[in-house]
Amino acid sequence: MEQQHHYPCEACGADLRFKPGQEQLVCDHCGHAQEIPSATGRGTAVGLEELDLHAGLKADLPVGSLEEVRTLTCPNCAALIELKGAAHATECPFCATPVVVDTGATRMIRPQALVPFQQTEELARDALGRWLGRLWFAPGGVKDYARRGRRLTGVYSPFWTFDAATASSYSGQRGDAYYETEWVTVTRNGKSEQQQKRVRKIRWHPVRGHVARVFDDVLVLASRALPRKHTDALKPWDLSALTAFRPDYLAGFTAEGYTVQLAEAVDIGHDEMARMISTDVRRDIGGDEQRIDSIDTSYSQETFKHILLPVWTAAYKYRGKSFRFVVNGQTGKVQGERPWSWVKISLAVLVVAIIVGVAVYFGQQAQ
């Protein structure tokens, strides 16, 4: 059975919501603030429960690490939105599409930790307004979007983190540079002549070796609601601010369920690790240039966490299409899609053409 969490105000009984940047739940009705118990305080990232990856892939996790949640799936962007209470409909926070189909209860891995919101909605709106104001050739309505007081939606977005110890054997080639003096033909004042030039060349030697690295909290987005390039651009996240999960922090916010399953996320995480291992191999090969023929990596001590990170979202509709903006709820960094005003672009092209035409005209007159 779904567990519902409500936090009544001690002063008036209305529901409380988490106040970004503080350890408080604040009443929207009367303004009364109540502290979240100190056990949920920040700085508790050390000691957070890590789950065994192989057990997770075999769906053999402890019962306490699972939960049943009611969800709705957005038909437009595929976001998995968690429902609270008896609600059966909502608006997608990522693309503003009405979502009215209840998919029932889903058994999912519960979050072990989250990073609480640090940026208030007002700060996020200001950051979005500055970002939109710097967009060239955007429709005027887009630039005014944040200044009109339009509400942003605070969403806890799902992520996976992966830890692993890796050992890699590699083979490749080390390139050491040397220089030779050669005669080359150059053209000077319309005439060809010979001159000496130092030419860089590479001497290659076969190499083999081993590198090792321990990875901690490799971050993988667990949602398909937003393009990965947008959420990747919100980095870096300070994961030292992770705190053990409690539903108190979700009061007043939307929680998104994960749609990138653990097995798929592991492959993405391994790809991220492979890129860093490749850098380690090149550094180990040394020389002036490197060629990598093969890398064979073994993984051990693999664990994972399911965490939630804070994102403010907004969706702007222009000519029937939704454009999505996201703000890092921890740092205020902004990313998103942008529409183009072809009227502004056409006017700019026309102005440039006029300027060029005038310059050519006066240039001809001067002759």
Side-chain angles (χ1 to χ4, degrees):
M1 183 175 180
E2 179 196 8
Q3 185 178 6
Q4 299 180 17
H5 299 278
H6 296 279
Y7 303 95
C9 173
E10 295 172 343
C12 70
D15 280 351
L16 300 170
R17 72 171 63 226
F18 176 70
K19 184 175 182 180
Q22 300 185 27
E23 296 291 345
Q24 292 180 324
L25 296 175
V26 179
C27 179
D28 285 340
H29 182 68
C30 72
H32 176 72
Q34 294 174 203
E35 298 295 320
I36 295 177
S38 58
T40 67
R42 296 189 182 87
T44 57
V46 176
L48 287 175
E49 181 186 10
E50 297 279 350
L51 298 176
D52 181 77
L53 178 59
H54 298 292
L57 292 173
K58 293 187 296 184
D60 190 25
L61 293 171
V63 175
S65 63
L66 304 174
E67 65 177 353
E68 283 196 357
V69 295
R70 290 176 56 241
T71 60
L72 298 178
T73 301
C74 175
N76 183 47
C77 70
L80 190 66
I81 305 158
E82 294 187 11
L83 287 179
K84 299 177 181 177
H88 287 265
T90 186
E91 181 179 86
C92 177
F94 299 102
C95 65
T97 299
V99 185
V100 296
V101 180
D102 192 343
T103 60
T106 304
R107 195 163 182 80
M108 305 178 73
I109 299 173
R110 71 185 301 273
Q112 284 105 321
L114 58 77
V115 171
F117 275 86
Q118 287 293 303
Q119 299 287 315
T120 63
E121 183 181 0
E122 182 179 1
L123 290 174
R125 187 184 298 112
D126 290 344
L128 177 59
R130 291 191 297 271
W131 185 82
L132 292 173
R134 293 193 293 267
L135 297 182
W136 284 60
F137 303 122
V142 174
K143 294 188 177 184
D144 294 336
Y145 179 84
R147 300 188 185 97
R148 293 174 180 169
R150 296 288 297 273
R151 290 192 63 83
L152 305 182
T153 302
V155 180
Y156 276 104
S157 291
F159 286 77
W160 303 104
T161 73
F162 297 99
D163 297 353
T166 63
S168 304
S169 300
Y170 68 84
S171 64
Q173 299 177 65
R174 169 184 171 131
D176 296 305
Y178 67 98
Y179 292 84
E180 290 184 351
T181 301
E182 296 180 354
W183 288 96
V184 296
T185 301
V186 297
T187 301
R188 183 171 297 169
N189 298 325
K191 296 181 180 180
S192 296
E193 60 181 55
Q194 296 286 308
Q195 73 175 31
Q196 289 185 326
K197 181 180 180 181
R198 282 173 56 81
V199 179
R200 184 179 186 269
K201 296 187 176 182
I202 298 293
R203 185 177 291 111
W204 294 99
H205 305 282
V207 293
R208 293 180 179 276
H210 304 272
V211 296
R213 175 185 280 267
V214 175
F215 290 92
D216 181 44
D217 284 345
V218 174
L219 197 63
V220 175
L221 177 66
S223 167
R224 304 184 195 278
L226 291 169
R228 189 172 299 277
K229 64 180 180 179
H230 291 346
T231 51
D232 284 348
L234 293 181
K235 295 178 181 177
W237 296 90
D238 178 12
L239 297 187
S240 68
L242 280 171
T243 185
F245 176 81
R246 276 183 61 126
D248 312 53
Y249 287 105
L250 272 57
F253 295 98
T254 299
E256 185 191 2
Y258 59 83
T259 51
V260 175
Q261 299 300 317
L262 182 61
E264 181 183 354
V266 170
D267 291 338
I268 299 172
H270 281 179
D271 288 343
E272 291 283 337
M273 296 178 194
R275 280 190 279 273
M276 297 188 68
I277 292 171
S278 178
T279 300
D280 291 343
V281 168
R282 292 187 181 278
R283 186 180 298 113
D284 198 61
I285 290 175
D288 299 297
E289 296 186 18
Q290 305 83 32
R291 291 174 177 168
I292 299 175
D293 296 328
S294 67
I295 300 177
D296 182 21
T297 299
S298 62
Y299 299 84
S300 62
Q301 303 174 44
E302 291 189 272
T303 59
F304 76 95
K305 292 192 300 293
H306 171 33
I307 67 171
L308 303 176
L309 297 180
V311 177
W312 289 102
T313 71
Y316 175 83
K317 286 195 173 182
Y318 179 70
R319 293 188 174 179
K321 181 180 178 182
S322 291
F323 295 86
R324 296 161 298 180
F325 312 118
V326 289
V327 183
N328 185 316
Q330 184 183 39
T331 66
K333 192 173 183 180
V334 183
Q335 190 54 248
E337 300 163 315
R338 53 90 43 86
W340 297 87
S341 172
W342 295 108
V343 173
K344 290 185 178 180
I345 294 174
S346 299
L347 288 174
V349 171
L350 179 61
V351 169
V352 171
I354 292 173
I355 293 173
V356 171
V358 170
V360 170
Y361 172 78
F362 283 107
Q364 292 173 343
Q365 294 298 313
Q367 295 176 358

